Amino acid sequence: MKKRILSLIAGLLTLVALSGAASACGAFLHQPELPQALRK
Amino acid sequence: MSKDQTDIVRYGLQSFYGAFTALLSVLILSAAIGIVREAMTVFFVVAVYRKLSGGAHCSTLPGCLTVGTLIIILFAVIIKNAGPTVSGTFLWVTVPSVIAFIPAYFYAPADVPQKPISSSAQRTMLRRLSFLFIVLWFIMGAYLWAGQKMDLLYFYAAGNLGLLWQSFLLTPPGYRLIEQLSLLFRRRQNS
């Protein structure tokens, strides 16, 4: 159960990361460093 | 998880945390002074247009939170006081969208070193979406003005301030201002 919840959270965060990579930048003034894996 | 997957999840977490703390800080501060609806209108217009057009960014989260929250609260206070007078005027409804089109034409999408936009297809798509956002925003304002929906025009005026601020952040002076403010917060962190 714990493993399933963790993988669900990781999946949701991946979705957030992908939508962040597809947009021009972050919604607010702070922009974290885009990882190399998403720069390709 | 591989290193790439870990990096992606970390980036997602940082993005979520940044947006969540920003929303929370604006919400708490605006609730304390009774301007939640005005502040949220500015916040969402800035956030949506920013996702499409890009623009200047602070390098530290505390700097971003402080500057971003204070600017949004300042705009909400201005609208609370000046909104009832100016929000129904034709000039205030139309001119901000026209002004916003100029920096969008020259600079959108404006990227930052932390997140370069290297794909030309993505650049073209974001540029088109930025123009589309401004055009739809203008049409919405014209529709509200034609119907004299004064209560909604009040919030439209708040959104206009957000649109103008975000447009300014696309320009070189906007980048310089945020860079100066970032330096201020970096010095404080170092001292």
Side-chain angles (χ1 to χ4, degrees):
Chain A
M1 186 66 183
K2 196 176 165 187
K3 204 173 172 184
R4 198 175 283 180
I5 290 171
L6 280 177
S7 68
L8 181 72
I9 292 171
L12 287 173
L13 289 175
T14 303
L15 206 65
V16 172
L18 291 177
S19 82
S23 59
C25 64
F28 215 55
L29 274 176
H30 183 62
Q31 172 63 53
E33 187 85 32
L34 188 72
Q36 283 300 326
L38 288 175
R39 291 190 187 213
K40 293 163 196 164
Chain B
M1 275 202 289
S2 69
K3 188 189 174 299
D4 277 358
Q5 282 173 320
T6 312
D7 286 348
I8 292 171
V9 170
R10 186 186 298 121
Y11 177 70
L13 186 62
Q14 286 171 334
S15 302
F16 175 77
Y17 178 70
F20 180 73
T21 47
L23 179 66
L24 202 66
S25 60
V26 171
L27 206 58
I28 291 171
L29 205 59
S30 62
I33 43 181
I35 48 169
V36 174
R37 290 187 303 171
E38 292 84 352
M40 283 297 110
T41 309
V42 180
F43 181 90
F44 281 109
V45 171
V46 170
V48 173
Y49 186 41
R50 191 171 187 73
K51 292 290 265 181
L52 306 174
S53 64
H57 276 280
C58 287
S59 50
T60 63
L61 186 57
C64 140
L65 271 182
T66 314
V67 175
T69 304
L70 289 180
I71 288 286
I72 285 175
I73 295 296
L74 173 72
F75 289 159
V77 169
I78 291 172
I79 283 301
K80 183 85 178 170
N81 291 292
T85 320
V86 299
S87 60
T89 59
F90 182 72
L91 278 182
W92 184 245
V93 172
T94 53
V95 171
S97 302
V98 177
I99 293 173
F101 198 82
I102 299 166
Y105 179 80
F106 285 107
Y107 303 111
D111 52 3
V112 281
Q114 302 97 299
K115 190 191 172 302
I117 306 168
S118 45
S119 148
S120 63
Q122 188 186 13
R123 194 169 276 281
T124 307
M125 185 196 68
L126 289 168
R127 187 172 169 77
R128 285 181 183 162
L129 287 174
S130 299
F131 292 151
L132 183 68
F133 179 87
I134 298 173
V135 169
L136 289 178
W137 183 255
F138 178 83
I139 291 171
M140 190 168 81
Y143 172 77
L144 293 176
W145 187 78
Q148 282 298 298
K149 301 178 188 302
M150 296 310 289
D151 46 344
L152 291 176
L153 278 171
Y154 172 76
F155 293 105
Y156 185 80
N160 267 341
L161 278 182
L163 184 71
L164 288 175
W165 167 245
Q166 173 51 28
S167 298
F168 172 67
L169 292 182
L170 294 177
T171 64
Y175 271 78
R176 280 197 291 275
L177 174 71
I178 295 299
E179 180 57 35
Q180 292 301 314
L181 291 169
S182 288
L183 283 176
L184 194 76
F185 281 94
R186 230 177 290 157
R187 269 188 225 126
R188 283 198 173 176
Q189 267 189 342
N190 293 340
S191 61

